[in-house]
C-alpha cells in the first residue's frame, strides 16, 4: 500500500519539509478522507472569493478546519477573524522588526524560552511563573511589548522552529510541548495564574489553532486543581486531554516525554547550556543541517523601522485591538508565550 501523503495545491503549497503527520488521525495531514479534502478546497475557494490570497496553504486550511470540527463556515469565519486581527495587531510588521532587547533583564523575573525537543521531536517551551514581579518588570519593559513578544514567538514557532524539527524528525510536526513551572505561585497568586492562562488561551485558541501537543503544569500548588477545574470550562475537551497537572513529584512523568539530555538541570535533566539554557534558544532551528530562513523573512512586506524598547505610546502604530489587553495583575499583563491553551 502506498505511503500516506498530503494532497497539495500547487498554487499555495511550497513546503521544504515533510508534510505527513506521524500519527494516523483523521483530518491530519496525510490522513484525510476525500470528504475532508473537498472541505479544504471549499474553504480555500470561499476565502479566495472573499479576497484572501495569503496563508491559504493546505496545512493551514487543515488546522483551521480541525479547530472547527471541519465545519467550513465556522472555519471560514475563524480565518477571517484571524486575518482581521493580524492586520490590526500588525503581525507581519512585528515578526520582521520587533527587537526584544530587554529580554535578559525580563528573564530575571519571568523566564520563558524554547529549549531543544521532546521525545516526539517537538520544540519544548518552558515558562517559570513564580518569580514574576510586575512592578520591577515594568521598569524594564511594558505590557504592550510583552504582548508583542508573545505574538512574535508564536510566529517563530510556526517558522522556523517547527519546519526545522520536521526536517530532523523526517515527519511533519505542527505542535509544541510546553512546560509551565508554577513553583513559587502560592495561593495569593492563583487568581493571577487563572487570568494569565485565560489571556494566553484567547490568542492561541483564536489565532494560532492546533499548536498544542502536550502541556505539563509542574510544581502545581495546593488548590490549583480547583482553579484548573474552572479553567477547563473554557477549553475544548480535546485540549484538556493534552494537559497534565503535576505537583512536586513531576520528574518521572516529565522525563518520560523529554529526554534527560534535553531538559535543563533545574527540572531534573542534565542539560546545562553555556550561558544558561534560558537564553540559549538551543534546538534544531539553530542547526544549519535542519534550519532554513523563515519564509516571512523573504517578504518585503512590513520592512520598516525596528521596534525597540521605547515607551509603549511610541512603540508602534499597530495597536493590539483584538488581543487581550494588559491589566494590573502580574500574570494578567498580556504576558506569556508558548503556553498555548485551547489548541
Amino acid at each position: 500500500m502506498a505511503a500516506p501523503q498530503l494532497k497539495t495545491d500547487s498554487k499555495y503549497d511550497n513546503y521544504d519539509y515533510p508534510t505527513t503527520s506521524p500519527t494516523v488521525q483523521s483530518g491530519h495531514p496525510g490522513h484525510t478522507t476525500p470528504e475532508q479534502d473537498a472541505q479544504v478546497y471549499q474553504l480555500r475557494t470561499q476565502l479566495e472569493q472573499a479576497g484572501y490570497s495569503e496563508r491559504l496553504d493546505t496545512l493551514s486550511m487543515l488546522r483551521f478546519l480541525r479547530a472547527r470540527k471541519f465545519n467550513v463556515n465556522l472555519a471560514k469565519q475563524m480565518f477571517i477573524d484571524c486575518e482581521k486581527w493580524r492586520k490590526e495587531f500588525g503581525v507581519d510588521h512585528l515578526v520582521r522588526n520587533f527587537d526584544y532587547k530587554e529580554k535578559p533583564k525580563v528573564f530575571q523575573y519571568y523566564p520563558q524560552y524554547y529549549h531543544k525537543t521532546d521525545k516526539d521531536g517537538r520544540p519544548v517551551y518552558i515558562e517559570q511563573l513564580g518569580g514574576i514581579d510586575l512592578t520591577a518588570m515594568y521598569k524594564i519593559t511594558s505590557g504592550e511589548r510583552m504582548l508583542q513578544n508573545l505574538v512574535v514567538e508564536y510566529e517563530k514557532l510556526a517558522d522556523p522552529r517547527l519546519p526545522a524539527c520536521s526536517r530532523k524528525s523526517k515527519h511533519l510536526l505542527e505542535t509544541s510541548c510546553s512546560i509551565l513551572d508554577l513553583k513559587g505561585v502560592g495561593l495569593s497568586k492563583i487568581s493571577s495564574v487563572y487570568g494569565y492562562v485565560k489571556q494566553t488561551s484567547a490568542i492561541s485558541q483564536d489565532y494560532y489553532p492546533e499548536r498544542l501537543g502536550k502541556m505539563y503544569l509542574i510544581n502545581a500548588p495546593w488548590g490549583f486543581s480547583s482553579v484548573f477545574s474552572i479553567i477547563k470550562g473554557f477549553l475544548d475537551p480535546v485540549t484538556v486531554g493534552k494537559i497534565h497537572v503535576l505537583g512536586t513529584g513531576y520528574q518521572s512523568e516529565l522525563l518520560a516525554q523529554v529526554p534527560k539530555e534535553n531538559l535543563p538541570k533545574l527540572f531534573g535533566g542534565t542539560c546545562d547550556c553555556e550561558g544558561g539554557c534560558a537564553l540559549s534558544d538551543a534546538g534544531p532551528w539553530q542547526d544549519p543541517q535542519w534550519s532554513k530562513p523563515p519564509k516571512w523573512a523573504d517578504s518585503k512586506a512590513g520592512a520598516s523601522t525596528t521596534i525597540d524598547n521605547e515607551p509603549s505610546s511610541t512603540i508602534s502604530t499597530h495597536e493590539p485591538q483584538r488581543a487581550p489587553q494588559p491589566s494590573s495583575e502580574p500574570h494578567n499583563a498580556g504576558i506569556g508565550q508558548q503556553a498555548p491553551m485551547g489548541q
Side-chain angles (χ1 to χ4, degrees):
M1 189 172 73
Q5 290 184 334
L6 178 73
K7 185 175 181 180
T8 58
D9 183 288
S10 59
K11 182 177 179 180
Y12 295 105
D13 298 338
N14 183 27
Y15 305 117
D16 55 7
Y17 52 89
T19 56
T20 299
S21 174
T23 304
V24 179
Q25 194 171 356
S26 179
H28 286 251
H31 309 290
T32 52
T33 65
E35 181 182 4
Q36 289 167 340
D37 291 336
Q39 289 165 322
V40 168
Y41 177 80
Q42 183 181 358
L43 174 60
R44 180 187 286 123
T45 300
Q46 290 186 15
L47 289 170
E48 286 179 323
Q49 292 172 348
Y52 296 96
S53 60
E54 296 184 49
R55 289 173 283 277
L56 299 183
D57 64 283
T58 302
L59 293 179
S60 294
M61 295 292 93
L62 281 171
R63 285 194 301 108
F64 278 89
L65 283 165
R66 290 199 304 273
R68 292 296 178 262
K69 313 299 184 187
F70 277 84
N71 182 309
V72 173
N73 290 332
L74 293 180
K76 176 185 175 182
Q77 189 59 53
M78 184 184 192
F79 184 93
I80 290 172
D81 290 344
C82 178
E83 289 298 304
K84 183 173 185 240
W85 168 79
R86 290 181 67 91
K87 183 176 180 180
E88 292 173 345
F89 197 84
V91 175
D92 293 340
H93 172 80
L94 282 169
V95 72
R96 298 179 181 93
N97 298 284
F98 185 76
D99 181 11
Y100 201 44
K101 61 185 180 183
E102 68 268 36
K103 179 170 71 172
K105 292 182 179 179
V106 174
F107 275 27
Q108 293 175 17
Y109 302 96
Y110 183 33
Q112 41 184 175
Y113 56 98
Y114 286 97
H115 187 264
K116 300 188 176 180
T117 56
D118 69 1
K119 290 185 177 179
D120 295 319
R122 294 176 293 211
V124 173
Y125 175 73
I126 299 171
E127 286 194 6
Q128 296 167 250
L129 293 90
I132 290 180
D133 181 338
L134 188 62
T135 301
M137 291 169 68
Y138 272 0
K139 294 177 181 178
I140 301 168
T141 189
S142 68
E144 180 183 11
R145 284 182 58 75
M146 289 188 282
L147 187 58
Q148 290 172 335
N149 183 57
L150 161 77
V151 170
V152 168
E153 290 301 321
Y154 274 132
E155 292 294 305
K156 291 181 178 179
L157 172 65
D159 192 9
R161 289 188 176 102
L162 285 170
C165 292
S166 297
R167 294 183 194 105
K168 183 175 181 179
S169 299
K170 296 182 173 55
H171 56 247
L172 177 65
L173 293 167
E174 296 186 286
T175 62
S176 64
C177 175
S178 296
I179 302 170
L180 267 66
D181 182 12
L182 303 180
K183 185 176 182 179
V185 181
L187 286 174
S188 62
K189 290 186 178 180
I190 281 184
S191 61
S192 298
V193 172
Y194 166 78
Y196 153 73
V197 171
K198 188 173 182 180
Q199 271 206 19
T200 305
S201 71
I203 291 179
S204 62
Q205 184 167 265
D206 293 344
Y207 309 129
Y208 297 95
E210 295 288 304
R211 288 301 190 200
L212 177 62
K214 288 182 181 290
M215 175 179 284
Y216 295 88
L217 302 175
I218 64 173
N219 289 313
W222 180 87
F224 185 80
S225 293
S226 298
V227 175
F228 186 67
S229 66
I230 299 174
I231 294 173
K232 289 193 294 186
F234 60 83
L235 295 177
D236 185 279
V238 175
T239 299
V240 173
K242 300 176 182 178
I243 301 171
H244 307 264
V245 180
L246 308 174
T248 55
Y250 62 84
Q251 291 187 0
S252 61
E253 187 166 346
L254 190 59
L255 286 169
Q257 184 63 34
V258 183
K260 182 174 287 190
E261 63 272 18
N262 287 359
L263 191 66
K265 282 186 175 181
L266 176 65
F267 304 111
T270 59
C271 190
D272 188 17
C273 295
E274 184 177 353
C277 293
L279 294 173
S280 70
D281 196 27
W285 50 91
Q286 297 289 0
D287 188 337
Q289 183 177 0
W290 312 115
S291 182
K292 294 185 179 182
K295 286 184 168 56
W296 48 257
D298 296 334
S299 175
K300 295 180 181 180
S304 58
T305 304
T306 297
I307 301 175
D308 59 15
N309 192 24
E310 298 294 336
S312 59
S313 61
T314 61
I315 287 173
S316 170
T317 58
H318 301 293
E319 296 295 331
Q321 300 173 30
R322 290 177 60 81
Q325 298 298 301
S327 78
S328 60
E329 291 194 280
H331 296 77
N332 213 16
I335 52 186
Q337 288 193 4
Q338 305 308 314
M341 311 284 279
Q343 297 181 52

